Amino acid sequence: KNTNETKEKLRIDACKIHQQLANLKIKNISINVINKIEIKFIKAFVEGFELSQYQFDKYKKQKNEEITLFAPNNLLPKNILQEIKSIIDAVKITKDLVNEPHNFLNTIQFSNELNKIFQNTTVKHTFWNQAKIQKEKMGGILAVNQGSIAPAYFHILEYKPTQSKNTKPIVFVGKGVMYDTGGLSIKPTPNSMDLMKCDMAGAATVVGAIHAMAKMNLPFHIVGLIPSVENKVSVSAICPGDIITMYDGTTVEVMNTDAEGRLILADALHYAKRLEPELVIDLATLTGAAIRAVGKEAGVAMSTADKKTNKKLEKAGYKTAERLVYFPLWKEYKEYIKSDIAELKNIGGADAGSITAEENLQQRLVSDYCVNL
């Protein structure tokens, strides 16, 4: 009766079966369908099984082998199998980037990894180095990276097939804080800073998504924008109370250096304006307030896009069991981030933390075509 719930149950069941087979040290299995089942359900099972194969064992001597799944030629159409493979590969790329420790994956190495990931694809990778970012006066990116000895980067990924359906690009923006100590507003270590190699998950998601689109030859012009920085503690780090000038010229009072994601994303979103995009989708591990609001059962979204676009994203979320909960952007929230000595401050009070973070991005720097996740 509920197709989406059935598909997710099949994915979960496939994961449980994979765990049992792994415990039994079985290396090869075959799958056959006895009764007639719709392709979408078979696909969901195979997705769940293949997603369960993932493990990050790069730094382990003992590595577990994957279980080989054999299927008859008529089980799934070739285009569906290729789609599954493209998505599974993209998820692995994304998870590998997120799982890499910071002593390997700093801003410099991240740039090298992007070159490797896209070298055999039709995706073009270019970037602005620290000197170019300074010349362009991207004040948010420069301020957050101020305490790091590694340079900041601004990455631009472009996938543009010859027969694109869209005349204006769809732009994905990903938060790329390679490590977040919180800066001088320093984080506690347990269950906080010790996980902050993951604060570039938005950037990794953009990388994985564009890789999948290219491998599936989707007929859309896509641009990915990734500001890559490190929020570190040092004598040169930005201080609470400092005032910075953003890429669009707006002055911001930095009340908390651990509210850094909105600063780098604001600069990236202002750059996106020059592309005259059809839609901008911003992805970030932006606030703990979002998790406290909905847990890990969904992502929080705020949008200035039209209702049809929002509905499509919401439907896609249910279809893939990556649900979205839309939060409001009422005009009263603007008052939360007003500063006495600058045009804005980078953090509001204790209330509506997710929304005030988005207010730094949406109401000021982006018009009516942006969805922040």
Side-chain angles (χ1 to χ4, degrees):
K1 291 181 179 180
N2 189 317
T3 297
N4 292 330
E5 285 186 6
T6 302
K7 288 195 296 183
E8 182 61 4
K9 185 179 184 303
L10 283 164
R11 293 187 193 103
I12 293 168
D13 286 346
C15 177
K16 291 175 181 176
I17 290 169
H18 178 273
Q19 289 170 347
Q20 291 288 339
L21 294 170
N23 290 338
L24 294 168
K25 308 295 183 187
I26 291 173
K27 300 303 177 189
N28 303 289
I29 66 160
S30 60
I31 178 172
N32 284 287
V33 179
I34 298 170
N35 299 315
K36 188 175 181 182
I37 299 174
E38 290 181 74
I39 285 174
K40 60 187 175 185
F41 295 122
I42 303 171
K43 179 187 172 188
F45 182 88
V46 175
E47 281 174 350
F49 192 90
E50 290 302 314
L51 285 169
S52 302
Q53 305 258 31
Y54 179 79
Q55 51 195 328
F56 186 71
D57 55 10
K58 176 180 174 181
Y59 299 98
K60 292 183 177 180
K61 291 186 179 69
Q62 180 126 13
K63 304 181 190 297
N64 295 321
E65 291 181 37
E66 287 192 356
I67 299 170
T68 303
L69 179 64
F70 292 97
N73 289 333
N74 61 349
L75 184 72
L76 287 170
K78 283 185 178 180
N79 65 314
I80 297 294
L81 287 170
Q82 182 56 46
E83 179 186 328
I84 293 171
K85 185 180 186 313
S86 298
I87 291 171
I88 299 302
D89 288 347
V91 170
K92 184 179 187 304
I93 287 168
T94 302
K95 288 184 175 181
D96 281 351
L97 288 171
V98 172
N99 282 322
E100 282 286 2
H102 179 57
N103 61 342
F104 172 78
L105 195 64
N106 60 7
T107 57
I108 299 168
Q109 187 60 37
F110 181 69
S111 184
N112 295 335
E113 292 300 306
L114 293 187
N115 287 333
K116 292 177 191 174
I117 289 166
F118 292 111
Q119 66 182 352
N120 293 318
T121 71
T122 54
V123 177
K124 181 183 177 184
H125 170 223
T126 58
F127 62 83
W128 289 2
N129 60 16
Q130 178 99 12
K132 176 67 172 174
I133 293 168
Q134 288 171 332
K135 185 179 178 181
E136 293 285 332
K137 298 181 180 178
M138 287 182 142
I141 293 173
L142 292 169
V144 173
N145 201 67
Q146 204 167 287
S148 176
I149 59 173
Y153 287 81
F154 182 61
H155 297 281
I156 303 163
L157 305 170
E158 185 172 27
Y159 167 65
K160 191 176 183 180
T162 51
Q163 300 294 323
S164 300
K165 287 186 177 181
N166 51 324
T167 54
K168 294 183 175 182
I170 296 170
V171 177
F172 288 83
V173 180
K175 175 184 170 183
V177 178
M178 309 312 295
Y179 196 83
D180 183 18
T181 66
L184 294 183
S185 304
I186 196 164
K187 294 176 180 288
T189 297
N191 296 311
S192 184
M193 197 198 297
D194 55 352
L195 304 173
M196 284 301 108
K197 67 178 186 179
C198 302
D199 210 19
M200 39 63 70
T205 302
V206 170
V207 172
I210 292 178
H211 188 275
M213 293 174 203
K215 287 295 183 181
M216 287 190 280
N217 297 312
L218 297 187
F220 299 101
H221 180 196
I222 306 292
V223 175
L225 304 176
I226 299 172
S228 177
V229 299
E230 299 172 6
N231 191 18
K232 295 290 186 72
V233 179
S234 78
V235 294
S236 60
I238 189 170
C239 300
D242 284 356
I243 294 177
I244 63 174
T245 302
M246 305 294 290
Y247 189 29
D248 75 332
T250 302
T251 56
V252 176
E253 184 182 11
V254 179
M255 301 300 291
N256 188 315
T257 61
D258 196 23
E260 84 298 331
R262 62 204 72 180
L263 299 177
I264 68 169
L265 291 171
D267 280 356
L269 289 169
H270 184 64
Y271 175 91
K273 282 184 174 180
R274 70 168 66 180
L275 303 175
E276 298 182 350
E278 177 182 316
L279 176 69
V280 178
I281 297 178
D282 175 283
L283 301 126
T285 47
L286 200 61
T287 64
I291 294 177
R292 289 190 290 276
V294 299
K296 297 177 181 177
E297 311 311 318
V300 167
M302 279 148 277
S303 177
T304 56
D306 60 88
K307 288 183 179 179
K308 185 179 178 181
T309 298
N310 293 336
K311 200 68 184 173
K312 278 184 178 180
L313 286 168
E314 187 177 37
K315 186 177 178 181
Y318 280 111
K319 191 176 178 181
T320 57
E322 299 284 356
R323 295 168 291 199
L324 296 178
V325 178
Y326 283 98
F327 278 14
L329 284 170
W330 297 320
K331 63 182 180 181
E332 289 82 0
Y333 291 121
K334 292 180 183 179
E335 300 296 318
Y336 289 39
I337 56 170
K338 279 189 174 179
S339 167
D340 293 331
I341 59 173
E343 290 169 292
L344 288 175
K345 55 185 179 181
N346 76 323
I347 194 167
D351 300 332
S354 297
I355 296 171
T356 55
E358 300 296 348
E359 284 291 348
N360 272 270
L361 305 178
Q362 297 227 18
Q363 300 292 354
R364 176 171 54 87
L365 295 166
V366 189
S367 62
D368 57 352
Y369 49 72
C370 187
V371 181
N372 283 319
L373 309 177

